[in-house]
Amino acid sequence: MSKSAAGAARRARQESEVAVDLAATRGIVPLRDSKDPGGPVLTVPAAAFSAFVSGVRAGTFDAV
């Protein structure tokens, strides 16, 4: 996944300096550690990623 990927975005949490690059393409969301651009890429179905984000917003994983 390159920075020029369509729909690429970077999300970071300043307090922990964690950053993840993601880009939704053709129903798949590839994710990688932004500090290791040549490292492994985790691919997740877009629907599953959307459900995960909804769960995070709803507090579903707060106790984990």
Side-chain angles (χ1 to χ4, degrees):
M1 182 176 73
S2 69
K3 286 185 182 178
S4 63
R10 176 170 287 173
R11 303 289 181 238
R13 295 185 56 187
Q14 291 179 341
E15 65 274 8
S16 65
E17 296 189 23
V18 172
V20 175
D21 289 336
L22 62 96
T25 60
R26 298 183 187 186
I28 300 288
V29 178
L31 304 158
R32 71 170 182 199
D33 182 343
S34 64
K35 294 179 299 280
D36 186 10
V41 175
L42 173 67
T43 57
V44 180
F49 187 77
S50 178
F52 171 72
V53 171
S54 294
V56 169
R57 288 181 176 158
T60 302
F61 308 109
D62 288 352
V64 175

